[in-house]
Amino acid sequence: MKRLGKNIMLPALLLLAWFIAARFEIFSPYLLPSPQKTFSVFWALLLDGTLARHLAVSLLRVVGGFLCSCLVAMPLGLLCGRSRVLHDFLEPILEFLRHVPPLAAIPLIILWFGIDEASKLVVIFLASFFPLFLNTYGGIRNCDPKLLEVGTSLHFSAWQKARYIQLPAAVPSILIGLQLALGYSWRALIGAELIAASSGIGYMILDAEQMSRPDVVLVGLFSIGILGGLINKVFLRLTLHLLPWQSKADAKL
Amino acid sequence: MTISLINLAKTYRTKDGEVVALAPTVLDIAPYSFTTVVGKSGCGKTTLLRLLAGLEGPTSGTLTFLPHRPKIGFVFQEPRLMPWLTVSENIAFAALSGKSPLSGGKLPALLDMLSLTAFANAYPSQLSGGMAQRTALGRTLFQNPDIILMDEPFGSLDYFTRKGLQETLLRLFKQEKKTIIFVTHDVEEALILGERVLIMKKGSVTGDVDVNLPYPRDAASLELLALRRKILSGIE
Ligand SMILES: Nc1ncnc2c1ncn2[C@@H]1O[C@H](COP(=O)(O)OP(=O)(O)O)[C@@H](O)[C@H]1O
Ligand SMILES: [Mg+2]
């Protein structure tokens, strides 16, 4: 209860400041709509389904692109972690791509994949590929050689060592990769929707800006923040479930 | 299961030149014997064990096992448990290779012998040093090895925990037919446990002492103290 109090304090203060600023019209209402106005717009958009529709479209895009990325980046990370040759072969091109922000590639992506769903998936794929790949690869590479030697002393085959020692040892790192990738996907997608889209929460925000509706823009921003937080919560729950040995670590016998 | 070393030697190449970790060594180890190896840090004890286990290849010389290649278990200096597995799962880890099947009763018997039954479902991060090392010993015993190689396994444990584990090990040695080679830097421990004590110095086995005293041994007995003095003068 005390923690909740601390958690809620700063948001409550900011809300109060916002309320006061709007009440005394410190900024023009065209720049800063009041909290009541914003909330009533939020309520209206929620009731008529507009908000849910845009959020669902964005969420589906993230899930789709993210899954595609998982299917490619994680196996590739595992293979590179196991094979020096493959890693050295791919390294130069990956190192180059890693430094190109997906948003910078959007003009080309639109040219190649059009402005429909395909280009959104590609943007998300690019944004989430590297955190997934690098954390999977790193998790495999950083496996304690002393643990691997236990496998050798028990006459494990190379495959058994990979499956029963390296892979489980890499799980915490892979989960961090997934968490980062999810965040990156979201951001890249909103960016892509701001540039070229006819639906999605990013589009809703851009559209509202062009209609001079800062209240709708704010509703969009809050929705993104809240949804991102919720997804992260779900993810942390999942992490605790997958890593019982880490959550139990605090509970000394 | 006789182990024969014929001029077995290991040299490590480092950037500062070559390190002779084990000079050419000739040695026979009898089946079902308990041999301890003592020497100062860096004298090549671990290298000797790793060569015996096949974790390291020799630079020269040969290593033979007669009449046939035995199953060898290794207990490392650190427990090296898999942090994501429980005590039971760590002990039965060898079953994953498919070579040491998880037959009924084997795991409970090991947990019982090592007093780990109450902690069967605990994770390594929840264990004390002694419990972790007992789990590591259980993992090695699970494969039912003919030869057990142990590299200062009790070195980091407190006095009482260490005494308890020494007793467990001697009980195991008496009950089951095992050949044990136990490395330690502690002369007293070497004398409490070993039927034969090998002394190592700068990469060579320089002493070979038989300890014909019945178990359990008293570290304060005159015979043991005399042997201790003799071995210490050999190590210096
Ligand atoms: N992997 C290695 N690379 C280079 N030198 C090593 C390596 N392992 C051991 N040595 C050297 O070999 C010598 C013997 O080491 P070791 O067998 O570990 O001794 P002990 O176990 O008796 O302390 C030491 O001088 C050590 O520095
Ligand atoms: Mg050593």
Side-chain angles (χ1 to χ4, degrees), chain A residues 145-157 160 164-166 168-169 244-245 248-253, chain B residues 50 55 72 74 76 78 80-84 93-94 96-99 119 121-123 125-127 139 143:
Chain A
K146 289 185 167 180
L147 292 186
L148 278 174
E149 205 174 63
V150 170
T152 310
S153 81
L154 295 176
H155 310 291
F156 276 31
S157 65
Q160 286 168 334
Y164 297 119
I165 302 176
Q166 282 181 306
W245 48 285
K248 274 200 190 174
D250 305 328
K252 279 259 174 200
L253 290 175
Chain B
R50 293 176 61 84
L55 290 174
I72 301 178
F74 202 108
F76 296 93
E78 328 79 25
R80 302 199 188 180
L81 303 176
M82 305 299 142
W84 56 89
F93 194 57
L96 295 175
S97 76
K99 294 187 190 94
F119 304 98
N121 296 317
Y123 286 96
S125 55
Q126 300 169 284
L127 301 178
R139 177 176 63 195
Q143 324 166 64

Side-chain angles (χ1 to χ4, degrees), chain A residues 51-124:
Chain A
L51 189 59
R53 199 180 68 238
H54 285 303
L55 278 177
V57 167
S58 296
L59 199 61
L60 270 179
R61 285 173 179 155
V62 168
V63 169
F66 185 71
L67 284 181
C68 291
S69 188
C70 285
L71 287 179
V72 178
M74 280 167 40
L76 204 60
L78 290 174
L79 289 175
C80 283
R82 293 283 305 164
S83 156
R84 255 259 86 92
V85 180
L86 182 63
H87 174 258
D88 292 350
F89 176 71
L90 290 175
E91 155 113 69
I93 187 77
L94 290 179
E95 190 54 27
F96 166 76
L97 284 175
R98 191 162 77 85
H99 293 287
V100 179
L103 286 183
I106 279 189
L108 199 58
I109 292 171
I110 289 176
L111 215 55
W112 286 355
F113 298 94
I115 56 162
D116 293 332
E117 294 310 306
S119 62
K120 311 291 180 301
L121 291 184
V122 172
V123 168
I124 295 168

Side-chain angles (χ1 to χ4, degrees), chain B residues 12-14 19-21 39-48 151-152:
Chain B
Y12 288 109
R13 260 174 253 289
T14 64
V19 182
V20 180
K40 287 186 186 170
S41 166
C43 70
K45 306 183 294 294
T46 298
T47 304
L48 176 65
D151 189 6
E152 306 195 27

Side-chain angles (χ1 to χ4, degrees), chain A residues 6-36:
Chain A
K6 265 186 208 152
N7 281 346
I8 215 113
M9 187 126 102
L10 187 59
L13 279 177
L14 286 175
L15 191 64
L16 187 68
W18 180 14
F19 179 79
I20 293 170
R23 178 74 186 76
F24 297 101
E25 295 197 1
I26 297 176
F27 306 100
S28 144
Y30 292 106
L31 296 179
L32 186 74
S34 71
Q36 309 93 297

